[in-house]
Amino acid sequence: MELNNTIALVTGSASGLGAATAKHFAAHGARVAVLDFNEAQANAVAEELKGFAVATDVRDEAAVAEAFESVSNFFGSPPRIVVNCAGVGMAARIVGREDKLSFDVFEQTLRVNLFGTYNVMSHAALRIAKLSSLEDGERGVIINTSSVAWEDGQLGQTAYAASKGAITAMSLPAAREFAQSGIRVMAIAPGLFNTPMMEGLPEDVAAKITANIPFPARLGEANEFALLAKHIVQNPFLNGTTIRLDGAVRLPPR
């Protein structure tokens, strides 16, 4: 599938990996819908891309349904390409100091990362399946964002690792279910990337993290995530699996 003149929806696209993906897709001719919880930033990115912004909480099923309708009305058709980048990265031990439990962190993390991804994927597949097929029988592609933490979860990342592991686990059964409709489902598991989440770390902490990356010995750039997302869109035989994008890093226990 080519990006040129194809409608794409990217969640979490007001910043970080999502914004880079939205901008990269637009640079290659895609008509992009910017979906994010932050309305002001979403509008700013959409204005830059001459796209369409929708302020939406991916945890809210009705809000996501309404967002898809808004995108369809604006562009005249539902998106064929959907990339899920919306997520949170909270950390907490299962049992912390003074016996403090962290179920609230676990619940919130799964609601955004996992339920939000499943919610958007569901509404995307529902609408893509009703589009006419392209020459090769393909109708669309859904790309979800996992993380290397699903395999290398560090201390305090139980909730995050669980959410990303579930996203990875969904790829194959979802791809099998949607195969009859010509819809591919893939996941990208990024490693340590230069995103707003990482930029907030102290310089010495960031240097220590970077030292664990074999090659290139640096943080990943958001545009490198976008490059892989573009390749997945264009390569019709990529389906039902997760690709690690990590510079060969394997995260230590802490």
Side-chain angles (χ1 to χ4, degrees), residues 12-137:
S13 47
S15 62
L17 302 179
T21 301
K23 292 175 184 179
H24 191 66
F25 282 13
H28 287 82
R31 294 182 287 165
V32 181
V34 177
L35 193 153
D36 200 280
F37 188 75
N38 188 316
E39 184 174 8
Q41 287 184 242
N43 285 331
V45 173
E47 184 176 354
E48 179 183 346
L49 306 181
K50 295 180 172 57
F52 179 64
V54 189
T56 306
D57 184 344
V58 295
R59 298 170 295 181
D60 186 330
E61 197 272 338
V64 169
E66 185 177 339
F68 269 91
E69 290 306 308
S70 296
V71 171
S72 298
N73 291 336
F74 182 85
F75 290 113
S77 174
R80 286 190 184 270
I81 302 166
V82 172
V83 184
N84 273 306
C85 291
V88 294
M90 297 182 292
R93 297 187 182 217
I94 300 170
V95 181
R97 294 178 180 176
E98 299 179 355
D99 295 339
K100 177 177 172 52
L101 302 183
S102 59
F103 181 77
D104 59 333
V105 172
F106 189 86
E107 182 177 38
Q108 186 174 346
T109 301
L110 264 68
R111 284 194 178 279
V112 177
N113 294 357
L114 177 57
F115 294 2
T117 295
Y118 186 90
N119 195 9
V120 173
M121 179 172 67
S122 301
H123 281 280
L126 175 68
R127 289 159 177 79
I128 295 172
K130 297 175 182 177
L131 295 172
S132 58
S133 61
L134 303 176
E135 290 182 3
D136 59 359

Side-chain angles (χ1 to χ4, degrees), residues 1 136 138 184 231-239:
M1 183 183 301
D136 59 359
E138 186 173 21
R184 296 184 288 122
H231 180 73
I232 290 171
V233 169
Q234 294 179 317
N235 190 330
F237 211 58
L238 281 172
N239 194 16

